[in-house]
Amino acid sequence: MDKIDKDGTEFAKEKGVKFINLSAEEDARWAAKVRPLLDDYAKNSKAKGLPGDEALKFCLDFLKANPK
């Protein structure tokens, strides 16, 4: 996936696509809007006997440690 993302980004840049980074404030606003979806994922996974809370924490910790 990472290679595909990198290749896609490079292709888009070659075609003149402009990438805009969100401000910290806007990023936080988006994160707050998405959080209910993430919480539902964890809840639904847990209901199936899967470690949804742990999986979500792993993903969020990874994203925090590896910002783009």
Side-chain angles (χ1 to χ4, degrees), residues 31-55:
K33 294 287 186 182
V34 170
R35 187 60 199 225
L37 296 172
L38 301 177
D39 292 339
D40 281 347
Y41 162 80
K43 179 182 163 187
N44 291 333
S45 294
K46 196 172 184 179
K48 295 176 184 177
L50 300 170
D53 291 330
E54 292 88 353

Side-chain angles (χ1 to χ4, degrees), residues 6-49:
K6 183 180 177 187
D7 291 347
T9 299
E10 290 304 316
F11 177 79
K13 285 179 181 178
E14 289 171 8
K15 298 296 181 186
V17 173
K18 182 179 178 185
F19 289 82
I20 300 169
N21 293 320
L22 298 178
S23 67
E25 181 181 274
E26 187 67 10
D27 188 51
R29 191 173 80 81
W30 278 77
K33 294 287 186 182
V34 170
R35 187 60 199 225
L37 296 172
L38 301 177
D39 292 339
D40 281 347
Y41 162 80
K43 179 182 163 187
N44 291 333
S45 294
K46 196 172 184 179
K48 295 176 184 177

